[in-house]
């Protein structure tokens, strides 16, 4: 039986403050590829709107770096293995209405 793997990631969206670095755990029984990471990130980052699909997410090794191929094996990447060197998950910018709803939610909870 495979052990769990861990990858460190940070969510990036235009017009929104970057998330803090967080861990995503995965079953290390087979190849965990970038496409799998996008699906796991969609489940992890609940602040993403429901209409943002995992297929709309992309991953890069640096904040403004090039998008990694969907079939790149996560365990083989130097980034993501440590908190100080995360992978970056890029999501589409939220619509204006979504920004207002998030801000209002923060005020109501505040």
């Amino acid at each position: 039986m495979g052990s769990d793997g861990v990858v460190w990631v940070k969510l990036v969206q235009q017009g929104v403050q970057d998330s803090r670095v967080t861990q995503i755990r995965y079953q290390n029984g087979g190849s965990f590829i970038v496409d799998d990471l996008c699906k796991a990130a969609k489940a992890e980052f609940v602040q993403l709107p429901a209409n943002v699909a995992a297929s709309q997410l992309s991953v890069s090794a640096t904040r403004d770096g090039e998008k990694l191929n969907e079939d790149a094996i996560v365990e083989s990447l130097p980034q993501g293995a440590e908190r100080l060197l995360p992978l970056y998950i890029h999501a589409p910018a939220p619509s204006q209405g979504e920004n207002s709803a998030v801000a209002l939610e923060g005020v109501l909870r505040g």
Side-chain angles (χ1 to χ4, degrees):
M1 184 185 278
S3 62
D4 284 346
V6 173
V7 61
W8 291 92
V9 298
K10 182 178 260 200
L11 179 66
V12 176
Q13 281 183 285
Q14 185 177 356
V16 177
Q17 182 175 345
D18 291 358
S19 75
R20 67 175 180 81
V21 176
T22 191
Q23 278 186 353
I24 292 183
R25 294 189 178 278
Y26 59 90
Q27 275 300 111
N28 202 9
S31 294
F32 187 71
I33 60 173
V34 166
D35 189 56
D36 297 326
L37 178 57
C38 290
K39 292 171 187 169
K42 172 62 178 160
E44 176 71 26
F45 294 108
V46 296
Q47 70 268 36
L48 288 173
N51 64 338
V52 173
S55 62
Q56 293 176 280
L57 303 177
S58 63
V59 178
S60 66
T62 61
R63 171 106 179 35
D64 298 313
E66 288 188 33
K67 179 177 128 176
L68 298 172
N69 289 331
E70 291 82 2
D71 62 349
I73 298 173
V74 173
E75 300 95 46
S76 69
L77 302 170
Q79 298 82 6
E82 299 178 22
R83 184 181 64 81
L84 296 176
L85 198 59
L87 287 170
Y88 291 83
I89 309 290
H90 299 269
S95 69
Q96 187 61 27
E98 291 166 355
N99 276 339
S100 300
V102 169
L104 179 59
E105 182 179 334
V107 169
L108 293 176
R109 287 185 179 180

